[in-house]
Amino acid sequence: MTGVQTCALPIWLSSFENIGTYTRYLRRLNGSLNFSLLEVQGPLSDTGEWNVQMKGEGILNEQIGPRLSLDLIKTPEEFVVNSLTIDDEESHATLKGEKNQRSLEINFAGSLKRNTLSRIFSDTYLSDGWFEGDIRAKIILDKPLQSAAEGTLEGQNLISPLILDDAFKINKISIEANKNQLNLKLLDLSLGDTNLAVEGSVTSTEEGFQVMFDASSDLIEWENIKTALDKYKKGKKNKGNNKKTDLRLKGTLRLKSEKIGRAHV
């Protein structure tokens, strides 16, 4: 059994693409985790090439929690969450999933309340958020018709794992999935000074993923959108992620705005 102070957790998480970037939002943790399995192999200079196996449980902050148990495997090609559970007197949530170049599978059930998140994150936006649902989804990039999802998911005050930037925030989201169709009932997001309300659907077909979105805003600032996308592309390049994925995406995005402008940033 190996004991690790949770104040060192951000260092371990830094090797996990996307998830590792969230470490900058964590508050200073003072708990401890006990690992029955903890193996790390790879060059110290490149955490993205690490092979990691960890299995353990503990408490993120002494006395106030929440409790955490995890069973993860990470290689340069694959990320597997056999089980990740967070719970305290208000919240209980379990995540399982697998991500590789060909597919993405996610199983989430439970809820994370505001008080629980405030014990994990120092960022005032995230610490005022919440997240709950029961959803199972599997996306197969090269065989989209075999992709399927079932369940519901909703939350407030989240940071996108795709565009990790303080200017890109998900204020509210509500998703409902049924077999080959995912319905975005509500997506209220902020992109710098631009606020967007989006609704629509994504349907898996034999030809690919068919999207149909309607977005509206009082003001569209193209410079903010371009800046966020440029940061996303730069981040992917800096991580050395040049592997191509066969994501066949097509459809329609209808945009309605009272005013289109150019922000001065």
Side-chain angles (χ1 to χ4, degrees), residues 203-247:
T203 305
S204 58
T205 68
E206 188 172 353
E207 292 76 23
F209 296 95
Q210 182 76 34
V211 301
M212 183 69 70
F213 288 140
D214 289 292
S216 61
S217 175
D218 292 335
L219 172 64
I220 298 292
E221 297 283 10
W222 287 115
E223 191 66 28
N224 287 331
I225 296 175
K226 181 179 181 300
T227 298
L229 293 177
D230 287 345
K231 286 183 177 180
Y232 170 62
K233 293 177 182 178
K234 182 179 179 181
K236 299 290 281 186
K237 182 178 180 181
N238 290 341
K239 290 176 183 178
N241 189 350
N242 296 318
K243 298 177 182 178
K244 295 182 179 180
T245 55
D246 185 22
L247 179 59

Side-chain angles (χ1 to χ4, degrees), residues 27-29 60-61 64-66 88-90 114-122 127:
R27 68 169 55 256
R28 185 175 179 83
L29 305 173
L60 291 179
N61 284 298
I64 64 173
D88 58 18
E89 66 277 6
E90 294 186 45
R114 285 185 176 88
N115 286 341
T116 304
L117 292 179
S118 69
R119 295 166 183 166
I120 301 174
F121 297 108
S122 60
S127 64

Side-chain angles (χ1 to χ4, degrees), residues 69-88:
S69 66
L70 70 167
D71 182 356
L72 310 175
I73 299 173
K74 181 260 179 188
T75 71
E77 294 79 27
E78 188 176 46
F79 179 26
V80 180
V81 181
N82 292 316
S83 177
L84 192 154
T85 300
I86 297 175
D87 73 286
D88 58 18

Side-chain angles (χ1 to χ4, degrees), residues 22 24-27 112-131 155-161 163-173 187-192 194-196:
Y22 276 96
R24 74 171 183 256
Y25 301 110
L26 292 175
R27 68 169 55 256
L112 293 172
K113 304 298 185 181
R114 285 185 176 88
N115 286 341
T116 304
L117 292 179
S118 69
R119 295 166 183 166
I120 301 174
F121 297 108
S122 60
D123 182 85
T124 55
Y125 181 82
L126 290 172
S127 64
D128 194 40
W130 56 269
F131 194 65
Q156 176 178 305
N157 289 28
L158 307 171
I159 301 293
S160 167
I163 305 178
L164 282 161
D165 185 79
D166 294 335
F168 189 96
K169 297 178 178 179
I170 300 174
N171 302 317
K172 291 182 181 180
I173 188 170
L187 174 59
D188 181 343
L189 60 87
S190 296
L191 186 55
T194 299
N195 295 317
L196 286 171

Side-chain angles (χ1 to χ4, degrees), residues 6-20:
T6 54
C7 61
L9 196 59
I11 299 175
W12 298 104
L13 290 177
S14 66
S15 68
F16 294 91
E17 184 180 358
N18 293 338
I19 289 181

